[in-house]
Amino acid sequence: MLKSMWKRCGWLTMALACLLYLGNAASIAYADGQTNAYNYSYWGEAVRSPAAYEATTIITGTGLKIDAFKEPTDMHVTADERIYVLDSGNSRIVELDRDFNLTRIIDSFDHDGQKDHFKHPQGLYVSDDGQLLIADSDNQRIVHLNEQGQLIKMVDLPQSDLLKEDFQFRPIRVVMDKGERIYVMAEGVFDGFMEFNSDGSFASFIGANRVSVDPVEYLWKRFATRQQRSQMVMFTPTEFTNMDIDEEGFIYATSGDQTGLPIKKLNAQGADILRREGYYPPQGDLLYSNEKGPSRLIDVDVGDSDMYSVLDANMGRIFTYNGDGYLLHMFGGIGNRLGQFNTPVSLERAGDRMLVLDKALGEITVFQTTEYGRTLHEAVRSYFNGDEEGSAKQFAKAADMNANLEYAYAGIGKALLRQKDYAESTQYFKRSMEREGYSKAFLLYRKDLLREHFSWIMSGLILVAAGLVAITIVRRQRKGTTNAGIK
């Protein structure tokens, strides 16, 4: 009886332990903003991490003493940190200065001597010299204004043999490069982004996603009749969800491709050149519940030093990566506390601050970097700019704040590798599980070691060879003397 009771207690203890373990794991892996921030280890496990950003304030239309924001969909921050909010439901653009003071409202423009208005615009881009491009969706056009809000040109229904006769031009997002070429993400377009010349004429499509094929559905189609195939869903490329452009004219894009490559960096030819050299490809969350599913990335913001951030609509999280594809940190979540969102749709970086636009709540949450975030960013910047010594110091400081950040040890190893301290760099690469870096550092260390001791090694080999020759000669002489004595 007693033995049976102890056995039951043992099983109960094990069950409670498993529940506690799973509960702790879930609080890390599926954090919704109520637990600490986290990162992913080399093994794909969620590990706790200090917060890189903390929410400081919320900006609303009523707080600016204007009408409340109504379903805002996009925003843009210029190099001098002027903030433009696309208040789609009110068909207007609200401009703020870097201190979040209202500067002006753009809700109309002069068009051929008459006042013209926007109609439920969805996308906004502002160049460094203040030119505005508005994806005026329901008016089926792109409106190009100068800094004073005066019309430069309209881009409406494009004419090309590449487009179907019944094509409806409904732009959703827009960016412009330094050559004033305009790139448009349009609704229902699966061929990539639409590229327009500086005069507004249609040029081509770039960066189309590959077709995503379900093997089971493909096999079923092979055996289905023509009538059955006509009723099935066609295999079409995944649509992009958002875009941004960096200083060099490369387009960063997010897509709904949750099983392939949801983040891309496109060059002028539309080829994807995003580096994915981290522990896993940039994709948002690695761990997720069946209920929520994988990350659905709906926006991307490009910062300095090749760092970029993406917004996950499913869980309201922002993931920041460096140029090599290593996850630096994440923050945010879905909820009703400060720093959480209801329906996040856009993010922008303004210096050391990050702004996240919530469509349903009609507000902007402002995040400020913590000491940990600033240290990690400065480490990446120093390495990017070739300051190996400064980079190693900042990475070491970040590692002291977060021992779980394996990337910091890899950063120290890379900095030491550039300084030609191969022996020390191998130790940090080993600690960070960075195999490629370790192999390179070890190879260079071995070459350096051989080069440094080459004279001693060669002298030793020569002495050994000379000794072997001498021993051989002596043995032959002794053997000859012995044979002569026998005769």
Side-chain angles (χ1 to χ4, degrees):
M1 182 72 179
L2 184 63
K3 183 177 180 182
S4 176
M5 184 179 69
W6 278 109
K7 187 175 181 180
R8 290 178 181 177
C9 289
W11 282 110
L12 182 61
T13 303
M14 290 179 63
L16 288 173
C18 290
L19 287 173
L20 288 172
Y21 174 78
L22 291 173
N24 289 333
S27 67
I28 299 175
Y30 313 125
D32 60 359
Q34 297 180 354
T35 58
N36 293 332
Y38 61 94
N39 205 311
Y40 286 106
S41 69
Y42 169 82
W43 304 105
E45 299 173 343
V47 294
R48 295 192 182 278
S49 169
Y53 282 88
E54 59 181 0
T56 58
T57 187
I58 290 177
I59 301 171
T60 63
T62 53
L64 297 171
K65 297 181 180 179
I66 59 176
D67 293 339
F69 293 139
K70 183 179 179 182
E71 297 186 348
T73 56
D74 202 7
M75 63 179 173
H76 191 90
V77 177
T78 58
D80 56 357
E81 299 186 26
R82 287 177 294 164
I83 302 155
Y84 294 81
V85 183
L86 186 62
D87 189 7
S88 303
N90 292 315
S91 297
R92 65 183 181 180
I93 300 166
V94 178
E95 180 184 348
L96 312 175
D97 63 19
R98 69 185 316 274
D99 297 319
F100 309 117
N101 298 313
L102 179 65
T103 302
R104 62 173 171 168
I105 295 176
I106 304 174
D107 57 5
S108 63
F109 56 94
D110 184 75
H111 184 199
D112 294 334
Q114 295 182 347
K115 183 175 287 189
D116 201 345
H117 298 270
F118 308 113
K119 188 176 181 181
H120 204 255
Q122 296 292 302
L124 171 70
Y125 178 81
V126 186
S127 66
D128 290 338
D129 60 356
Q131 296 184 54
L132 292 89
L133 288 99
I134 302 96
D136 195 5
S137 305
D138 284 2
N139 281 327
Q140 299 184 337
R141 63 188 181 182
I142 298 292
V143 180
H144 187 182
L145 307 177
N146 63 14
E147 188 175 9
Q148 289 73 37
Q150 299 169 334
L151 181 64
I152 295 177
K153 67 174 177 288
M154 293 271 199
V155 179
D156 48 19
L157 183 62
Q159 303 297 323
S160 173
D161 294 337
L162 299 175
L163 302 172
K164 298 180 180 179
E165 293 182 1
D166 58 347
F167 175 72
Q168 297 291 322
F169 182 54
R170 192 170 190 273
I172 303 298
R173 293 291 186 270
V174 58
V175 297
M176 183 175 69
D177 64 15
K178 294 185 181 300
E180 297 195 355
R181 288 183 294 269
I182 299 173
Y183 301 91
V184 177
M185 186 184 84
E187 185 179 274
V189 174
F190 300 96
D191 298 312
F193 297 119
M194 303 180 72
E195 180 183 353
F196 295 85
N197 298 316
S198 57
D199 61 358
S201 60
F202 177 72
S204 64
F205 293 101
I206 67 165
N209 284 313
R210 291 185 177 181
V211 176
S212 180
V213 179
D214 184 346
V216 176
E217 189 174 351
Y218 175 76
L219 183 62
W220 175 249
K221 278 192 173 184
R222 296 288 294 178
F223 294 98
T225 64
R226 180 178 299 179
Q227 184 178 1
Q228 289 173 329
R229 286 197 298 269
S230 65
Q231 297 175 355
M232 293 180 180
V233 177
M234 295 179 61
F235 294 134
T236 56
T238 306
E239 278 188 287
F240 288 107
T241 56
N242 220 316
M243 61 196 301
D244 196 9
I245 192 166
D246 66 8
E247 289 293 324
E248 298 177 344
F250 295 110
I251 296 176
Y252 287 72
T254 55
S255 69
D257 188 359
Q258 298 178 332
T259 58
L261 303 175
I263 309 171
K264 292 184 178 181
K265 179 181 180 181
L266 306 176
N267 60 15
Q269 287 74 41
D272 179 20
I273 59 171
L274 187 73
R275 295 198 298 274
R276 301 177 177 88
E277 300 173 6
Y279 300 133
Y280 38 83
Q283 57 184 303
D285 266 320
L286 296 181
L287 305 177
Y288 49 84
S289 64
N290 292 330
E291 180 183 358
K292 291 292 184 179
S295 295
R296 184 169 63 89
L297 305 181
I298 59 167
D299 197 10
V300 56
D301 176 75
V302 184
D304 64 297
S305 306
D306 275 358
M307 289 184 285
Y308 58 95
S309 301
V310 292
L311 174 62
D312 173 17
N314 277 349
M315 299 300 292
R317 295 169 182 156
I318 294 92
F319 300 84
T320 299
Y321 299 87
N322 76 337
D324 290 328
Y326 284 92
L327 177 62
L328 301 179
H329 51 72
M330 63 73 58
F331 66 95
I334 300 295
N336 53 16
R337 298 193 312 162
L338 179 64
Q340 298 178 331
F341 323 107
N342 182 294
T343 311
V345 292
S346 179
L347 77 155
E348 284 287 326
R349 186 179 282 102
D352 285 337
R353 299 169 295 183
M354 188 75 81
L355 314 179
V356 180
L357 180 64
D358 194 308
K359 181 178 181 179
L361 299 179
E363 62 186 26
I364 301 172
T365 304
V366 181
F367 293 84
Q368 181 69 48
T369 52
T370 62
E371 182 182 1
Y372 171 70
R374 288 190 294 273
T375 301
L376 191 52
H377 293 170
E378 190 57 38
V380 174
R381 291 188 184 103
S382 298
Y383 180 78
F384 181 82
N385 294 322
D387 181 9
E388 292 85 5
E389 185 176 354
S391 174
K393 289 181 179 178
Q394 294 297 327
F395 275 124
K397 186 178 178 181
D400 288 339
M401 297 180 186
N402 181 15
N404 290 328
L405 186 63
E406 294 167 329
Y407 166 69
Y409 304 117
I412 298 173
K414 290 179 180 180
L416 292 173
L417 186 63
R418 282 187 175 181
Q419 293 176 307
K420 298 183 179 181
D421 190 349
Y422 306 129
E424 190 72 14
S425 67
T426 56
Q427 300 303 314
Y428 282 99
F429 281 130
K430 184 177 181 180
R431 188 171 182 179
S432 67
M433 302 297 290
E434 175 57 66
R435 297 186 178 184
E436 184 176 348
Y438 179 85
S439 298
K440 184 176 181 180
F442 183 79
L443 178 63
L444 292 172
Y445 172 64
R446 185 174 60 185
K447 288 183 178 179
D448 199 37
L449 192 67
L450 290 173
R451 190 181 300 110
E452 181 181 354
H453 301 287
F454 181 76
S455 58
W456 292 101
I457 293 173
M458 290 305 299
S459 298
L461 291 175
I462 292 172
L463 288 175
V464 170
L468 291 174
V469 171
I471 291 172
T472 302
I473 293 174
V474 170
R475 284 181 176 178
R476 286 180 178 178
Q477 288 178 349
R478 287 180 178 178
K479 186 176 181 180
T481 303
T482 303
N483 291 336
I486 293 175
K487 291 180 180 180

PDB file of all heavy atoms in Angstrom, residues 83-96:
ATOM      1  N   ILE A  83       8.391  63.322 -39.106  1.00  0.00           N
ATOM      2  CA  ILE A  83       7.520  62.146 -39.103  1.00  0.00           C
ATOM      3  C   ILE A  83       6.267  62.462 -39.905  1.00  0.00           C
ATOM      4  O   ILE A  83       5.588  63.466 -39.656  1.00  0.00           O
ATOM      5  CB  ILE A  83       7.143  61.763 -37.660  1.00  0.00           C
ATOM      6  CG1 ILE A  83       8.415  61.490 -36.849  1.00  0.00           C
ATOM      7  CG2 ILE A  83       6.225  60.543 -37.642  1.00  0.00           C
ATOM      8  CD1 ILE A  83       8.247  61.691 -35.378  1.00  0.00           C
ATOM      9  N   TYR A  84       5.968  61.588 -40.876  1.00  0.00           N
ATOM     10  CA  TYR A  84       4.775  61.728 -41.714  1.00  0.00           C
ATOM     11  C   TYR A  84       3.873  60.526 -41.464  1.00  0.00           C
ATOM     12  O   TYR A  84       4.293  59.381 -41.616  1.00  0.00           O
ATOM     13  CB  TYR A  84       5.150  61.803 -43.192  1.00  0.00           C
ATOM     14  CG  TYR A  84       5.939  63.039 -43.576  1.00  0.00           C
ATOM     15  CD1 TYR A  84       7.312  63.108 -43.344  1.00  0.00           C
ATOM     16  CD2 TYR A  84       5.312  64.124 -44.186  1.00  0.00           C
ATOM     17  CE1 TYR A  84       8.037  64.232 -43.699  1.00  0.00           C
ATOM     18  CE2 TYR A  84       6.033  65.255 -44.554  1.00  0.00           C
ATOM     19  CZ  TYR A  84       7.386  65.305 -44.302  1.00  0.00           C
ATOM     20  OH  TYR A  84       8.106  66.429 -44.653  1.00  0.00           O
ATOM     21  N   VAL A  85       2.638  60.789 -41.091  1.00  0.00           N
ATOM     22  CA  VAL A  85       1.662  59.731 -40.802  1.00  0.00           C
ATOM     23  C   VAL A  85       0.579  59.770 -41.872  1.00  0.00           C
ATOM     24  O   VAL A  85      -0.009  60.827 -42.126  1.00  0.00           O
ATOM     25  CB  VAL A  85       1.035  59.913 -39.411  1.00  0.00           C
ATOM     26  CG1 VAL A  85       0.079  58.761 -39.109  1.00  0.00           C
ATOM     27  CG2 VAL A  85       2.111  60.016 -38.339  1.00  0.00           C
ATOM     28  N   LEU A  86       0.323  58.625 -42.493  1.00  0.00           N
ATOM     29  CA  LEU A  86      -0.730  58.534 -43.495  1.00  0.00           C
ATOM     30  C   LEU A  86      -2.024  58.119 -42.793  1.00  0.00           C
ATOM     31  O   LEU A  86      -2.243  56.945 -42.495  1.00  0.00           O
ATOM     32  CB  LEU A  86      -0.357  57.525 -44.582  1.00  0.00           C
ATOM     33  CG  LEU A  86      -1.327  57.440 -45.762  1.00  0.00           C
ATOM     34  CD1 LEU A  86      -1.404  58.772 -46.504  1.00  0.00           C
ATOM     35  CD2 LEU A  86      -0.905  56.329 -46.723  1.00  0.00           C
ATOM     36  N   ASP A  87      -2.855  59.099 -42.522  1.00  0.00           N
ATOM     37  CA  ASP A  87      -4.136  58.877 -41.841  1.00  0.00           C
ATOM     38  C   ASP A  87      -5.177  58.521 -42.903  1.00  0.00           C
ATOM     39  O   ASP A  87      -5.944  59.361 -43.365  1.00  0.00           O
ATOM     40  CB  ASP A  87      -4.516  60.148 -41.079  1.00  0.00           C
ATOM     41  CG  ASP A  87      -5.711  59.941 -40.162  1.00  0.00           C
ATOM     42  OD1 ASP A  87      -6.146  58.783 -40.021  1.00  0.00           O
ATOM     43  OD2 ASP A  87      -6.201  60.937 -39.603  1.00  0.00           O
ATOM     44  N   SER A  88      -5.207  57.245 -43.275  1.00  0.00           N
ATOM     45  CA  SER A  88      -5.973  56.805 -44.442  1.00  0.00           C
ATOM     46  C   SER A  88      -7.459  57.056 -44.304  1.00  0.00           C
ATOM     47  O   SER A  88      -8.129  57.491 -45.251  1.00  0.00           O
ATOM     48  CB  SER A  88      -5.719  55.317 -44.700  1.00  0.00           C
ATOM     49  OG  SER A  88      -4.349  55.067 -44.874  1.00  0.00           O
ATOM     50  N   GLY A  89      -8.011  56.753 -43.124  1.00  0.00           N
ATOM     51  CA  GLY A  89      -9.443  56.924 -42.947  1.00  0.00           C
ATOM     52  C   GLY A  89      -9.890  58.362 -43.093  1.00  0.00           C
ATOM     53  O   GLY A  89     -11.032  58.626 -43.509  1.00  0.00           O
ATOM     54  N   ASN A  90      -9.022  59.295 -42.777  1.00  0.00           N
ATOM     55  CA  ASN A  90      -9.321  60.721 -42.952  1.00  0.00           C
ATOM     56  C   ASN A  90      -8.727  61.291 -44.236  1.00  0.00           C
ATOM     57  O   ASN A  90      -8.829  62.510 -44.469  1.00  0.00           O
ATOM     58  CB  ASN A  90      -8.805  61.516 -41.749  1.00  0.00           C
ATOM     59  CG  ASN A  90      -9.574  61.217 -40.478  1.00  0.00           C
ATOM     60  OD1 ASN A  90     -10.804  61.158 -40.495  1.00  0.00           O
ATOM     61  ND2 ASN A  90      -8.864  61.018 -39.375  1.00  0.00           N
ATOM     62  N   SER A  91      -8.095  60.427 -45.045  1.00  0.00           N
ATOM     63  CA  SER A  91      -7.517  60.832 -46.339  1.00  0.00           C
ATOM     64  C   SER A  91      -6.629  62.073 -46.202  1.00  0.00           C
ATOM     65  O   SER A  91      -6.794  63.068 -46.908  1.00  0.00           O
ATOM     66  CB  SER A  91      -8.630  61.087 -47.358  1.00  0.00           C
ATOM     67  OG  SER A  91      -9.349  59.903 -47.614  1.00  0.00           O
ATOM     68  N   ARG A  92      -5.671  61.985 -45.287  1.00  0.00           N
ATOM     69  CA  ARG A  92      -4.771  63.115 -45.059  1.00  0.00           C
ATOM     70  C   ARG A  92      -3.400  62.617 -44.635  1.00  0.00           C
ATOM     71  O   ARG A  92      -3.231  61.450 -44.247  1.00  0.00           O
ATOM     72  CB  ARG A  92      -5.341  64.024 -43.966  1.00  0.00           C
ATOM     73  CG  ARG A  92      -5.417  63.349 -42.599  1.00  0.00           C
ATOM     74  CD  ARG A  92      -6.038  64.209 -41.537  1.00  0.00           C
ATOM     75  NE  ARG A  92      -6.065  63.500 -40.246  1.00  0.00           N
ATOM     76  CZ  ARG A  92      -6.548  64.013 -39.119  1.00  0.00           C
ATOM     77  NH1 ARG A  92      -7.071  65.237 -39.114  1.00  0.00           N
ATOM     78  NH2 ARG A  92      -6.524  63.307 -37.990  1.00  0.00           N
ATOM     79  N   ILE A  93      -2.429  63.519 -44.695  1.00  0.00           N
ATOM     80  CA  ILE A  93      -1.074  63.255 -44.223  1.00  0.00           C
ATOM     81  C   ILE A  93      -0.786  64.223 -43.091  1.00  0.00           C
ATOM     82  O   ILE A  93      -0.944  65.441 -43.251  1.00  0.00           O
ATOM     83  CB  ILE A  93      -0.038  63.425 -45.348  1.00  0.00           C
ATOM     84  CG1 ILE A  93      -0.337  62.452 -46.493  1.00  0.00           C
ATOM     85  CG2 ILE A  93       1.372  63.216 -44.817  1.00  0.00           C
ATOM     86  CD1 ILE A  93       0.399  62.771 -47.766  1.00  0.00           C
ATOM     87  N   VAL A  94      -0.374  63.702 -41.956  1.00  0.00           N
ATOM     88  CA  VAL A  94      -0.066  64.522 -40.789  1.00  0.00           C
ATOM     89  C   VAL A  94       1.449  64.549 -40.611  1.00  0.00           C
ATOM     90  O   VAL A  94       2.071  63.496 -40.481  1.00  0.00           O
ATOM     91  CB  VAL A  94      -0.747  63.963 -39.527  1.00  0.00           C
ATOM     92  CG1 VAL A  94      -0.384  64.814 -38.303  1.00  0.00           C
ATOM     93  CG2 VAL A  94      -2.257  63.897 -39.714  1.00  0.00           C
ATOM     94  N   GLU A  95       2.031  65.745 -40.608  1.00  0.00           N
ATOM     95  CA  GLU A  95       3.474  65.892 -40.462  1.00  0.00           C
ATOM     96  C   GLU A  95       3.806  66.389 -39.054  1.00  0.00           C
ATOM     97  O   GLU A  95       3.201  67.347 -38.551  1.00  0.00           O
ATOM     98  CB  GLU A  95       4.027  66.879 -41.492  1.00  0.00           C
ATOM     99  CG  GLU A  95       5.540  67.066 -41.381  1.00  0.00           C
ATOM    100  CD  GLU A  95       6.076  68.119 -42.339  1.00  0.00           C
ATOM    101  OE1 GLU A  95       5.330  68.543 -43.249  1.00  0.00           O
ATOM    102  OE2 GLU A  95       7.237  68.530 -42.168  1.00  0.00           O
ATOM    103  N   LEU A  96       4.793  65.747 -38.426  1.00  0.00           N
ATOM    104  CA  LEU A  96       5.272  66.117 -37.092  1.00  0.00           C
ATOM    105  C   LEU A  96       6.758  66.400 -37.154  1.00  0.00           C
ATOM    106  O   LEU A  96       7.476  65.857 -38.008  1.00  0.00           O
ATOM    107  CB  LEU A  96       5.009  64.989 -36.087  1.00  0.00           C
ATOM    108  CG  LEU A  96       3.619  64.354 -36.059  1.00  0.00           C
ATOM    109  CD1 LEU A  96       3.601  63.180 -35.075  1.00  0.00           C
ATOM    110  CD2 LEU A  96       2.562  65.372 -35.683  1.00  0.00           C
TER     111      LEU A  96
END
